[in-house]
Amino acid sequence: ARLLASAPAAIAITCTTALQARSARGMVAAIRGEPALARCVVLLGGHLVLDVPQLPTQLGADGGACDGPLLGTMLRGLLARQQPAAV
């Protein structure tokens, strides 16, 4: 309830091992299925992304990276694309 009330611009999920991939997919699906989070950017990070770079999009996330600085750069780019164009 608090998450929905805060209307986050982004949610990051960590996925360190292959065993966590199924849970991460379920979390992404739950976020995508919640109307209040429709505009929320979903990112996947963690060591597993280093081994399988395409994993974030395969699990339904908007993107992902294996470390914080790369994830931050990706997030800034994705949020910038969501901004309405200046008139």
Side-chain angles (χ1 to χ4, degrees):
R2 284 185 180 175
L3 178 64
L4 297 178
S6 68
I11 295 174
I13 301 167
T14 187
C15 194
T16 304
T17 70
L19 295 174
Q20 295 170 328
R22 181 177 288 181
S23 294
R25 181 190 305 270
M27 290 176 71
V28 172
I31 293 164
R32 298 285 188 226
E34 178 54 55
L37 300 175
R39 293 183 42 89
C40 186
V41 171
V42 179
L43 297 174
L44 185 69
H47 187 75
L48 192 57
V49 177
L50 178 63
D51 295 334
V52 188
Q54 67 278 15
L55 184 68
T57 53
Q58 289 176 345
L59 298 183
D62 296 301
C66 60
D67 66 38
L70 288 174
L71 211 57
T73 299
M74 178 172 286
L75 176 59
R76 282 189 294 279
L78 290 168
L79 291 175
R81 281 190 236 151
Q82 284 188 340
Q83 299 299 321
V87 182

